[in-house]
Amino acid sequence: MLDLLGADLADLENLTNELNLPRFRAKQLFHWVHRQGVTAIGEMSNIPGKLQEILSEKAFITRPKLITTSKSKKGDTIKFLLKFSDGVMVETVLMTYERTASRDRNTVCVSTQAGCAMGCVFCATGMDRMERNLTAGEIMAQVWTAQRYCREYKLDQVTNVVYMGMGEPLANLPVVLKSIHLLNHPEGLGIGMRRMTISTCGLVPQIYQLADAALPVTLAVSLHAPDNEGRSSLMPINKKYPLEEVLKAADYYAEKTGRRVTYEYALFRGVNDSEEDGAKLCRLMHNRLANVNIIPSNEVPESGFQSPEPEVLAKFVQKLAACGVNAVVREEKGGDINAACGQLRRRIRGK
Ligand code: SF4
C-alpha cells in the first residue's frame, strides 16, 4: 500500500501506470494530498467514485489520531500529541508569531523518529527507548496537522519547518530529504528550503551527506558544551564523533552551501554556563561562518537540569557579543506546556 502523503510525483506516476490510468491523475492526486491536505481518498471530488475505490485498494493517506493538544498561556505555542496506526506517539509543535511588515512566520517543529537512540542526558525523549523511524508521510502528516489548525483558526499558513522534535533527523536522513522535497514542491505547500532547519546532535558522516546534497536548508548543530569533556557528559554521541570532527563537518557544510551553520547552546545552570565556558565558546566560534543560538533551556524535571540565572545568561551572551560572535538568545516559547521534546508524551504515558 502506498501512503499518498509520503509520495512524490514519481511514486504517483508509478501508481497510475500500474493501474493503467492517464498521467494527469498523478498530478491530481498530488494536488489533493500536498496542496489541499485531504485526509481521505473519498474527499477527492474530481476523481470518480469507481476510481476512488480502485485507488483505495492500493493506497491510503496517513492520518494520525490526535491524542491531546496543549496550548501555552499566551496561546502562541500549540503542542499536538499524535498517535500513528501502530500505536507509536510523537509530538509536533506549532509556534505562531505576530505578523509584522517585514516578517511572516508560523513555524512547525516536527519529529523524525518515535523515541531516540542518542541518549542526550538532558532530553526527555532520550530517556525513552528508540521505537522506530518515522516515514515521509508521517512527517508530512505532522505539518498538515499544524496547517489545518492554522486554517481552522484563521492564522497564516505554516511558513517554516524545523526538524527539531523527537528523534535525530540525520539518523533518518533519506526520509527527511524526501519530506523536504515534498514540502518545497511548488505544486504542494511550496515552503522555501531556506525556511527549513535540520538539527543534529552531530552525526558526522550524515552531515557530509547532507552537505553534498547541496540544499539551501539551515543546519543546526547541537553543541551544548565548548569542550569534549563537557559535551561527552551531556551527549554520548560526542564519544563517537568528537567536537573537532563535528566542527570540521559543519565547516564543510557552510563551504558547500554558503550558509551559516547555527550552533545551538542550551544553557544549564551550573553545568555549562561559567565564564570559562563562555570564553571557550568564543574561541570555538571565532572566524566561523556561524550563528549561535543560546537557549535558556526549558526545565526538564525528569533530568534535574535547571534554567540559568537571568544575570548569568545576560553575561554569557554579552561575552560572546564582545568577542564578535553572532549570538542571539532564542525566544523561549511554551515553557508552560512542556515544550521540550518528549515531555508531553511522557506525561500522557504516565512516566
Ligand atoms: S536531544 Fe535530540 S538527539 Fe538528543 S536524545 Fe533528545 S531527541 Fe535525541
Side-chain angles (χ1 to χ4, degrees):
M1 292 285 272
L2 178 69
D3 179 5
L4 299 180
L5 203 44
D8 57 21
L9 264 176
D11 297 328
L12 295 173
E13 277 168 10
N14 285 342
L15 177 69
T16 47
N17 281 345
E18 191 191 326
L19 296 173
N20 285 323
L21 299 172
R23 218 164 153 201
F24 76 89
R25 292 287 183 205
K27 213 163 182 184
Q28 265 181 340
L29 289 172
F30 194 92
H31 276 174
W32 278 118
V33 176
H34 294 297
R35 181 170 286 176
Q36 306 297 335
V38 296
T39 54
I41 291 172
E43 291 172 40
M44 300 176 177
S45 56
N46 60 359
I47 295 192
K50 183 73 198 149
L51 184 48
Q52 287 180 3
E53 275 174 35
I54 295 170
L55 282 166
S56 300
E57 283 166 19
K58 296 276 177 191
F60 66 104
I61 301 172
T62 280
R63 191 179 181 181
K65 191 169 172 199
L66 181 60
I67 301 297
T68 186
T69 307
S70 176
K71 206 179 204 179
S72 65
K73 283 199 193 91
K74 273 169 76 184
D76 58 352
T77 304
I78 303 101
K79 183 178 265 200
F80 307 94
L81 182 65
L82 304 174
K83 190 180 195 173
F84 293 110
S85 55
D86 64 351
V88 302
M89 292 197 279
V90 301
E91 297 177 1
T92 305
V93 183
L94 170 67
M95 291 160 282
T96 62
Y97 297 81
E98 228 162 87
R99 177 184 263 256
T100 64
S102 61
R103 191 175 78 169
D104 64 314
R105 182 156 66 110
N106 280 336
T107 299
V108 60
C109 175
V110 293
S111 295
T112 53
Q113 298 180 307
C116 183
M118 298 297 137
C120 304
V121 299
F122 49 81
C123 170
T125 303
M127 287 168 201
D128 292 336
R129 70 188 166 84
M130 165 67 178
E131 290 176 284
R132 64 170 175 82
N133 280 337
L134 298 189
T135 64
E138 288 167 340
I139 294 175
M140 298 298 292
Q142 295 174 66
V143 177
W144 272 105
T145 298
Q147 176 75 352
R148 273 186 221 109
Y149 182 95
C150 291
R151 285 182 182 173
E152 190 179 341
Y153 290 92
K154 311 263 182 295
L155 302 169
D156 291 332
Q157 76 154 23
V158 169
T159 54
N160 293 51
V161 177
V162 295
Y163 292 79
M164 289 188 174
M166 299 170 71
E168 161 56 49
L170 295 193
N172 193 10
L173 185 56
V175 162
V176 165
L177 287 174
K178 188 163 192 191
S179 68
I180 287 172
H181 287 293
L182 288 172
L183 290 168
N184 176 249
H185 202 288
E187 310 272 354
L189 286 172
I191 298 174
M193 289 202 192
R194 287 172 190 275
R195 288 175 176 260
M196 299 186 204
T197 299
I198 303 185
S199 95
T200 180
C201 63
L203 296 189
V204 167
Q206 288 89 338
I207 293 176
Y208 284 106
Q209 277 175 37
L210 183 63
D212 289 335
L215 304 174
V217 296
T218 301
L219 176 70
V221 174
S222 300
L223 206 58
H224 306 327
D227 55 34
N228 277 318
E229 196 189 344
R231 198 162 185 270
S232 293
S233 70
L234 293 171
M235 306 170 74
I237 192 69
N238 193 69
K239 293 177 193 148
K240 188 166 182 190
Y241 301 119
L243 197 49
E244 306 72 41
E245 286 184 32
V246 174
L247 291 171
K248 199 169 149 202
D251 287 345
Y252 178 78
Y253 187 88
E255 197 187 300
K256 271 298 261 208
T257 62
R259 295 184 64 74
R260 274 177 193 274
V261 172
T262 299
Y263 290 91
E264 308 281 351
Y265 194 104
L267 270 190
F268 301 111
R269 189 183 305 183
V271 175
N272 59 358
D273 61 352
S274 70
E275 281 193 36
E276 198 192 336
D277 290 323
K280 283 184 183 170
L281 187 56
C282 280
R283 287 198 288 279
L284 280 186
M285 292 297 119
H286 189 65
N287 281 340
R288 282 211 142 82
L289 196 57
N291 289 322
V292 178
N293 272 350
I294 302 293
I295 307 157
S297 56
N298 286 318
E299 308 257 341
V300 182
E302 301 93 314
S303 69
F305 285 96
Q306 292 179 304
S307 305
E309 305 279 3
E311 49 296 355
V312 173
L313 167 68
K315 245 171 120 177
F316 201 90
V317 176
Q318 274 163 19
K319 174 145 200 118
L320 291 171
C323 62
V325 174
N326 212 339
V328 291
V329 177
R330 196 163 83 191
E331 191 183 343
E332 192 189 15
K333 275 188 170 278
D336 55 326
I337 56 158
N338 304 129
C341 79
Q343 282 178 285
L344 179 63
R345 188 177 78 147
R346 286 179 72 85
R347 183 161 65 72
I348 295 291
R349 281 173 160 183
K351 282 186 186 166

